[in-house]
Amino acid sequence: MKKVCSLVLALALVWLCALPALTAARAESLYIIPDSDRRELTREELWGYRYDTLLYAFNEIYARHGYKFETGSRCYNWFTQMPWYHANESESSTNHHETYSQCSAIENHNVDLIKSVRREMKAAGTTNPGGIGMPTPPAQHVDTPRGFRYVSIKTGQKLPVYSAPSSSAYRANNGKAMCSTNGAVYALGWDHGWMLMLYEANFAGQYRVGYVDGSRIKGQLPWLDNLTWDGSSCQVMTNVSLTDDPALTGKEMTRIPAGTWVTYLTTMYNSSDWDYIETTINGQTARGFIPGGSLSMTGPDITERDDPGNG
């Protein structure tokens, strides 16, 4: 029976609720106006938006504070897609005033100004059809592994990504795998200073799990647990594909023949179960996912004491 990588990690992977779907838009486009909570907007710039877009723009300020929108409303349908939105279940779904009191002076100024510009558009009889519309909504078909959570990282960075926590490890995309922090980043934890993350690899709709050297990340680092792995040696029982994208495409990194010895790290779950393993690709250390149940758990590191059923 598989050893448990760590009790805390195993429980988190099995029991944490599925995270909101990943976004195909850039990180700043997770918001209508990304900095409306930090600076005073101007009337001139707001006239650059469509009338309906401004409805979401002032509600976005409320949404940052967990305002609970009425189920089925336009704003409910929009903001519940966003990985950063967490509804305050204790708040009345109609109590804008309570949320308004939680906003900063800058936010209150912006709410009032946005509403004022909407009134001006309405009085002018225009919906401002040539203005800025809504951003691309998050993709709803990405099957995020449980335990990965959305993390906020300073935008404008391009970070090298490796399949294992080492700059000498295998790197996808012909050795050029890169994460742009202008896209949504989800992370599981730290492995000796390397962040294990899930990110949008390209705009063709592929997502990858890989490692970024924390020392290369500018700005404040996200708080994450340290990861502990199983480390058992196991054999692959059948020919399997190794992938770094268990969330969407399952695109093959390499083919692992039956009988190959690999290192079992842990098992992760979305709508399927995936064994996360370490192997080699072209002589380089590589980590990735194979379908759960593909390993023979009778390797030399497996003993009865590793079975939770044994006392």
Side-chain angles (χ1 to χ4, degrees):
M1 188 172 183
K2 297 175 183 177
K3 290 199 301 182
V4 179
C5 66
S6 78
L7 180 58
V8 173
L9 178 60
L11 289 174
L13 294 174
V14 175
W15 296 110
L16 279 178
C17 295
L19 294 173
L22 296 178
T23 178
R26 296 182 301 169
E28 60 263 31
S29 292
L30 292 171
Y31 297 91
I32 310 299
I33 304 179
D35 57 354
S36 63
D37 60 334
R38 301 188 298 276
R39 68 173 179 90
E40 290 190 356
L41 306 177
T42 66
R43 191 175 303 276
E44 181 181 15
E45 70 176 296
L46 292 175
W47 265 95
Y49 288 84
R50 296 179 185 175
Y51 177 80
D52 281 348
T53 303
L54 292 179
L55 168 71
Y56 295 94
F58 77 76
N59 276 291
E60 177 174 83
I61 294 172
Y62 293 143
R64 284 192 178 101
H65 292 275
Y67 177 74
K68 186 179 178 183
F69 298 98
E70 293 185 2
T71 303
S73 67
R74 287 189 293 174
C75 286
Y76 173 90
N77 294 336
W78 176 260
F79 290 111
T80 52
Q81 299 179 84
M82 299 301 158
W84 54 264
Y85 173 69
H86 302 284
N88 180 0
E89 296 299 330
S90 66
E91 184 178 1
S92 167
S93 61
T94 59
N95 191 355
H96 271 97
H97 296 292
E98 180 178 332
T99 306
Y100 191 93
S101 67
Q102 298 171 5
C103 293
S104 68
I106 288 176
E107 289 174 313
N108 287 334
H109 168 272
N110 289 338
V111 166
D112 292 341
L113 184 60
I114 294 170
K115 290 181 177 180
S116 175
V117 171
R118 275 174 53 86
R119 289 193 294 270
E120 291 172 5
M121 289 182 180
K122 185 174 182 179
T126 180
T127 59
N128 206 27
I132 299 172
M134 297 293 286
T136 303
Q140 293 297 308
H141 58 294
V142 180
D143 196 7
T144 314
R146 298 169 196 167
F148 283 84
R149 64 178 179 85
Y150 175 75
V151 292
S152 178
I153 299 177
K154 183 179 179 181
T155 59
Q157 303 180 68
K158 290 188 176 180
L159 302 170
V161 181
Y162 298 85
S163 65
S166 169
S167 57
S168 62
Y170 175 80
R171 191 175 171 191
N173 193 27
N174 297 317
K176 299 177 182 179
M178 192 80 69
C179 169
S180 169
T181 60
N182 289 339
V185 175
Y186 291 73
L188 183 64
W190 293 102
D191 189 337
H192 296 88
W194 290 72
M195 186 174 71
L196 180 56
M197 56 183 287
L198 173 65
Y199 68 103
E200 183 184 11
N202 55 54
F203 290 100
Q206 183 182 356
Y207 293 83
R208 288 196 177 108
V209 172
Y211 292 84
V212 165
D213 184 350
S215 66
R216 302 192 62 158
I217 302 175
K218 297 178 182 178
Q220 185 175 359
L221 297 178
W223 187 92
L224 299 164
D225 288 330
N226 292 317
L227 300 171
T228 304
W229 306 118
D230 183 295
S232 299
S233 295
C234 306
Q235 277 185 302
V236 176
M237 294 189 294
T238 60
N239 297 338
V240 292
S241 291
L242 182 75
T243 183
D244 57 359
D245 181 6
L248 185 61
T249 67
K251 185 176 179 180
E252 184 176 280
M253 299 166 66
T254 191
R255 191 77 173 166
I256 302 179
T260 302
W261 285 94
V262 300
T263 300
Y264 168 74
L265 301 174
T266 191
T267 300
M268 299 189 191
Y269 302 87
N270 46 21
S271 60
S272 303
D273 59 302
W274 299 88
D275 287 335
Y276 188 48
I277 65 168
E278 182 174 295
T279 183
T280 59
I281 299 177
N282 299 328
Q284 293 179 293
T285 301
R287 291 181 179 180
F289 300 84
I290 61 175
S294 301
L295 296 176
S296 170
M297 308 306 289
T298 57
D301 294 336
I302 304 294
T303 64
E304 287 188 358
R305 66 180 173 77
D306 300 315
D307 187 338
N310 285 280

